[in-house]
């Protein structure tokens, strides 16, 4: 079965520093990977996706993610963190190639300190 | 910018009572999803509609949960009777038929069962 793991419950970073939120995946076949962000009392917002092509995917709000097949990882990155980036981040994978059902990770809380 | 609407935003009920949640997807979005997000976990798909038809309800506890999308537009999720373990955030999402990779989420309904 397809799955994703987010090994860190929380990531703390100072404003202006680069940030990384980690995600590893386990899939059979080609992975369809996603990142979503959830702000307090809000629904999830789509950030970016990897379907095929370049390993570096650019998304909303200056975020990018790097697909690494050998390490089965899809880490979310941003060169310079903002306090407003503080939120809950979810990695997700499509359940199978013939469905758009998503399997979400447990989430990582990002805290950016001024 | 069009958004997915959900109501109510908060619901407190006693166990064994019936509750219902409403979702109005973005206009033109053919696919609608209901997710349950338990505190500290990622969203879990309960049911997926394509227009008025159920595509996937494999994770829906059918002894107490029901969902409908009679005219293929808005949708209602019902729980009867509610149990303590149903306390969670219930999220609705929708996608365009031609781009099911990007799910647009509503703000959710936070259910507390006492």
């Amino acid at each position: 079965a397809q799955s994703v793991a987010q090994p860190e419950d929380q990531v703390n970073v100072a404003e202006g520093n680069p940030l990384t939120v980690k995600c590893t995946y386990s899939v059979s076949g080609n992975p369809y990977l996603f990142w979503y962000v959830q702000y307090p009392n809000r629904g999830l917002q789509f950030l970016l996706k990897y379907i095929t092509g370049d390993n570096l995917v650019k998304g909303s709000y200056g975020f990018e993610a790097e697909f690494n097949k050998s390490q089965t990882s899809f880490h979310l990155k941003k060169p310079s963190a903002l306090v407003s980036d503080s939120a809950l981040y979810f990695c997700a994978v499509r359940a199978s190639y013939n469905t758009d059902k998503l399997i979400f990770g447990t989430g990582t809380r990002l805290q950016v300190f001024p | 910018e069009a958004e997915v609407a959900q109501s109510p935003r908060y619901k407190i009920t006693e166990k064994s009572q019936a509750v219902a949640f409403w979702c109005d997807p973005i206009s033109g979005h053919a696919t609608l999803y209901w997710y349950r997000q338990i505190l500290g976990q990622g969203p879990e798909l309960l049911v997926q509609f394509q227009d008025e038809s159920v595509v996937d309800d494999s994770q829906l506890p059918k002894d107490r949960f029901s969902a409908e999308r009679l005219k293929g537009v808005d949708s209602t999720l019902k729980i009867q009777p509610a149990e303590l373990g149903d306390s969670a955030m219930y999220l609705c999402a929708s996608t365009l038929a031609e781009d099911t990779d990007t799910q647009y989420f509503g703000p959710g309904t936070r259910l507390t069962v006492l």
Side-chain angles (χ1 to χ4, degrees):
Chain A
Q2 320 288 62
S3 66
V4 290
Q6 295 182 245
E8 301 158 318
D9 290 336
Q10 179 153 335
V11 169
N12 299 317
V13 64
E15 187 174 32
N17 283 0
L19 69 87
T20 298
V21 182
K22 296 180 180 178
C23 172
T24 58
Y25 65 88
S26 174
V27 302
S28 54
N30 295 322
Y32 286 36
L33 296 161
F34 305 82
W35 277 102
Y36 281 80
V37 59
Q38 186 174 33
Y39 297 100
N41 298 316
R42 300 278 298 274
L44 279 70
Q45 294 180 32
F46 171 82
L47 278 179
L48 51 81
K49 64 183 177 185
Y50 172 82
I51 305 298
T52 186
D54 290 341
N55 290 341
L56 187 64
V57 179
K58 294 189 182 299
S60 306
Y61 313 122
F63 284 93
E64 57 189 27
E66 185 173 10
F67 172 71
N68 188 315
K69 188 173 183 178
S70 62
Q71 297 185 4
T72 62
S73 67
F74 188 58
H75 299 335
L76 182 70
K77 300 181 179 183
K78 188 174 183 181
S80 178
L82 299 173
V83 173
S84 57
D85 292 330
S86 298
L88 193 54
Y89 290 80
F90 290 96
C91 182
V93 64
R94 189 183 281 187
S96 66
Y97 74 95
N98 60 350
T99 177
D100 39 67
K101 175 180 178 177
L102 295 180
I103 306 296
F104 286 88
T106 52
T108 298
R109 185 164 300 281
L110 173 67
Q111 190 71 47
V112 181
F113 295 96
Chain B
E1 182 176 326
E3 296 182 342
V4 176
Q6 289 189 249
S7 67
R9 293 292 307 276
Y10 303 92
K11 179 68 177 179
I12 300 174
T13 190
E14 294 185 345
K15 63 180 181 179
S16 78
Q17 296 299 303
V19 293
F21 314 130
W22 177 79
C23 172
D24 191 13
I26 294 172
S27 179
H29 281 200
T31 308
L32 184 147
Y33 311 80
W34 281 102
Y35 289 89
R36 177 170 59 187
Q37 184 180 14
I38 296 171
L39 190 64
Q41 299 182 21
E44 176 190 27
L45 181 69
L46 291 175
V47 61
Q48 177 183 348
F49 289 92
Q50 178 70 32
D51 299 312
E52 67 275 9
S53 300
V54 173
V55 173
D56 184 346
D57 63 356
S58 57
Q59 300 301 312
L60 189 71
K62 298 182 187 61
D63 57 335
R64 298 185 300 107
F65 285 64
S66 64
E68 60 183 17
R69 194 184 184 199
L70 294 176
K71 297 183 178 179
V73 180
D74 58 336
S75 176
T76 302
L77 178 69
K78 298 178 181 178
I79 308 174
Q80 182 174 16
E83 296 180 353
L84 295 178
D86 296 331
S87 294
M89 176 77 86
Y90 289 83
L91 296 166
C92 179
S94 66
T95 64
L96 285 166
E98 58 267 28
D99 178 18
T100 56
D101 287 332
T102 304
Q103 297 190 18
Y104 297 84
F105 283 80
T109 296
R110 182 169 294 284
L111 173 67
T112 301
V113 182
L114 303 176

